């Protein structure tokens, strides 16, 4: 079930009033309109939205269409909603990892960086990949940093500067250290 849709439908005061009235007994549009002091076309509009969301169902009885509440759909537990949100956040993490892999495969060929991305988000992904070659518990001279970066790309000066600007490394007196 898509809880976002449920909450969106429930976010209207008139629809909540309609549901509260239908909770007592099934009704037709004109009776609902009369009881809620709303225009029948307004009630019909909201009932269609509620019906599309599965919160009410309709049955034709002689001349009238009777609407009743779908208790199964509305008997939602907040814990169910939260646990489904956790699942969707895992899906977001998977999408992000898939995006990162796509960026890396676009910019690296056989472990060599083909070009430094212009877009900041992509550049950070590339920089993080290169930074994996460094140990956080160790310091490096500028020459060592240049040597490691040059295994990936000949413009080690730009990448080294980007490490500092993106706060991935610290630099003090020509000594570099990766930040965790």
């Amino acid at each position: 079930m898509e809880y976002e849709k449920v909450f969106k439908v429930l976010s209207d005061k008139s629809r909540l009033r309609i549901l509260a009235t239908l909770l007592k007994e099934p009704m037709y549009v004109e009776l609902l309109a009369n009881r809620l002091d709303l225009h029948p076309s307004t009630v019909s509009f909201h009932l269609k939205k509620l019906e599309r969301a599965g919160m009410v169902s309709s049955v034709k009885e002689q001349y009238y269409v009777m609407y009743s509440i779908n208790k199964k759909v509305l008997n939602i537990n907040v814990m169910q909603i939260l646990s489904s949100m956790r699942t969707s956040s895992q899906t977001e993490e998977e999408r992000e990892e898939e995006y990162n892999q796509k960026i890396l495969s676009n910019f690296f060929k056989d472990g060599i960086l083909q070009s430094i991305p212009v877009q900041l988000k992509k550049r950070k992904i590339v920089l993080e990949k290169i930074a994996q070659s460094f140990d956080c518990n160790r310091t490096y001279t500028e020459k060592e940093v240049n040597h490691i970066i040059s295994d990936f790309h000949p413009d080690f000066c730009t990448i080294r500067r980007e490490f500092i600007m993106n706060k991935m490394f610290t630099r003090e007196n020509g000594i570099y250290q990766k930040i965790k």
Side-chain angles (χ1 to χ4, degrees):
M1 173 178 284
E2 295 182 45
Y3 294 113
E4 292 88 1
K5 286 183 181 179
V6 171
F7 283 111
K8 187 174 182 178
V9 171
L10 292 175
S11 68
D12 185 90
K13 185 178 179 180
S14 296
R15 289 193 279 271
L16 287 172
R17 289 177 61 213
I18 290 169
L19 287 170
T21 305
L22 288 175
L23 196 54
K24 297 171 189 159
E25 63 180 320
M27 293 183 201
Y28 54 94
V29 172
E30 291 77 10
L31 181 58
L32 273 165
N34 186 30
R35 290 201 179 163
L36 298 172
D37 196 28
L38 293 171
H39 197 275
S41 62
T42 302
V43 172
S44 287
F45 170 79
H46 290 300
L47 281 169
K48 292 221 183 314
K49 286 194 175 259
L50 290 165
E51 195 169 23
R52 269 187 251 129
M55 294 180 201
V56 297
S57 56
S58 62
V59 176
K60 187 162 175 80
E61 290 184 8
Q62 295 178 354
Y63 301 108
Y64 298 103
V65 177
M66 298 296 286
Y67 289 89
S68 59
I69 199 163
N70 185 347
K71 291 180 182 177
K72 183 179 179 186
V73 171
L74 289 171
N75 193 13
I76 302 171
N77 178 322
V78 175
M79 293 303 281
Q80 287 174 308
I81 295 168
L82 294 175
S83 65
S84 78
M85 296 309 288
R86 230 178 318 164
T87 303
S88 66
S89 71
Q90 289 171 340
T91 305
E92 289 171 23
E93 290 169 6
E94 289 169 2
R95 277 196 301 261
E96 186 175 337
E97 181 58 32
E98 189 176 302
Y99 175 78
N100 290 351
Q101 290 304 318
K102 182 179 176 189
I103 298 304
L104 293 174
S105 69
N106 287 341
F107 283 93
F108 285 91
K109 301 292 181 232
D110 299 322
I112 305 296
L113 180 62
Q114 301 301 300
S115 65
I116 300 171
V118 175
Q119 188 179 18
L120 181 61
K121 183 177 180 180
K122 293 177 181 178
R123 191 174 333 131
K124 282 187 175 183
I125 294 168
V126 166
L127 290 171
E128 287 170 4
K129 175 67 176 169
I130 296 171
Q132 290 175 357
S133 300
F134 294 87
D135 184 9
C136 294
N137 300 322
R138 180 173 170 224
T139 59
Y140 296 88
T141 64
E142 190 168 294
K143 186 175 181 180
E144 290 173 312
V145 171
N146 292 345
H147 180 72
I148 293 170
I149 294 172
S150 67
D151 288 343
F152 295 96
H153 194 270
D155 189 359
F156 50 81
C157 293
T158 300
I159 294 173
R160 190 182 66 228
R161 188 172 41 253
E162 288 287 334
F163 280 156
I164 302 301
M165 288 173 28
N166 285 287
K167 298 183 180 5
M168 300 171 83
F169 281 74
T170 60
R171 176 182 58 205
E172 192 172 319
N173 298 325
I175 301 297
Y176 293 77
Q177 185 167 13
K178 181 180 171 185
I179 299 172
K180 296 177 177 143

